[in-house]
Amino acid sequence: MNDLIVRDACLCDAEDILGIYSYYVENTAISFEYKTPCIREFKERMEGIMKRYPYIVIEGEGKILGYAYANTFKDRKAYDWSVELSIYIKRDSRGNGLGRRLYEALEERLESMGIKNLYACIAYPDVCDDEYLDRSSVLFHQHMGFKTVGLFKDCGRKFDRWYSMIWMEKVIGAHDAETTSVRPYRYK
């Protein structure tokens, strides 16, 4: 996979991105959604995010292999310097460093905006991994420098099982008194 390109997503990518996401909705507890959103709803979600934050894809041989984006952490002004991240890799492309490439590119974009804190909300199997959920996302985030900052026990139910959620955090900017306002992301 030498010809990989990380680029800003556009709405014309929505169908391919939704194709990646639908696997996780329908076959895993990684997403707590029960039903894959329709393309119209998915595009609306993308548009909402893209008004302020980066939404990026990674391509190989002209095909989208994964995507990542930042979104509002909490909808209050004092949280402007914090974002929640999401990342999904095409299931047969996992384990090839695509997630690292996406997160490094996303982090660079967020730093340039003035973002200080990155958060990830991750579904977590308490007792043991099962056929719907394992700890690979937690391990990936740890590898990327995230630390666990919270655990919500049995807060989500999918496939007739209870799953917990872990919040992980990575600080990417100094928390100084002279912090400037966050700049909205500008698509190229």
Side-chain angles (χ1 to χ4, degrees):
M1 292 199 183
N2 295 330
D3 67 334
L4 295 174
I5 298 168
V6 175
R7 64 168 175 81
D8 290 337
C10 59
L11 290 180
C12 64
D13 297 321
E15 195 170 318
D16 291 334
I17 293 170
L18 183 57
I20 294 169
Y21 182 60
S22 67
Y23 170 79
Y24 293 97
V25 171
E26 296 167 13
N27 300 288
T28 78
I30 290 170
S31 169
F32 278 2
E33 286 198 76
Y34 280 17
K35 183 180 172 199
T36 299
C38 69
I39 191 68
R40 179 190 50 76
E41 180 183 348
F42 197 75
K43 281 183 177 180
E44 287 173 2
R45 291 181 189 183
M46 287 179 69
E47 281 181 306
I49 292 164
M50 294 166 87
K51 287 179 182 174
R52 186 168 178 193
Y53 298 109
Y55 202 122
I56 61 176
V57 297
I58 190 164
E59 286 183 331
E61 299 177 6
K63 296 187 186 320
I64 294 175
L65 303 173
Y67 69 99
Y69 61 87
N71 203 355
T72 305
F73 170 63
K74 294 291 277 177
D75 193 22
R76 299 290 184 269
K77 187 69 177 160
Y79 292 114
D80 277 1
W81 294 267
S82 300
V83 295
E84 182 181 346
L85 304 184
S86 292
I87 184 169
Y88 292 92
I89 304 297
K90 195 172 183 180
R91 74 178 164 140
D92 59 356
S93 298
R94 294 173 60 178
N96 292 312
L98 303 178
R100 172 175 281 288
R101 293 269 309 263
L102 276 169
Y103 256 24
E104 287 172 348
L106 187 58
E107 189 174 315
E108 183 179 299
R109 287 164 167 82
L110 293 167
E111 269 186 293
S112 73
M113 294 170 57
I115 297 295
K116 308 290 183 194
N117 308 308
L118 309 178
Y119 293 97
C121 175
I122 303 167
Y124 187 76
D126 280 327
V127 179
C128 62
D129 294 356
D130 64 30
E131 68 270 30
Y132 302 114
L133 186 63
D134 61 26
R135 291 173 173 81
S136 59
S137 186
V138 171
L139 296 173
F140 166 75
H141 283 83
Q142 287 173 343
H143 188 69
M144 295 302 299
F146 284 73
K147 306 285 185 231
T148 300
V149 292
L151 170 68
F152 292 82
K153 297 276 294 164
D154 298 330
C155 64
R157 186 164 173 80
K158 191 169 179 182
F159 304 119
D160 296 323
R161 297 173 190 184
W162 287 102
Y163 292 103
S164 295
M165 176 190 57
I166 287 182
W167 276 101
M168 297 186 82
E169 172 188 60
K170 182 177 182 180
V171 176
I172 62 169
H175 294 82
D176 51 34
E178 298 184 24
T179 296
T180 59
S181 296
V182 173
R183 295 166 295 288
Y185 183 67
R186 301 283 182 235
Y187 283 81
K188 297 171 186 157

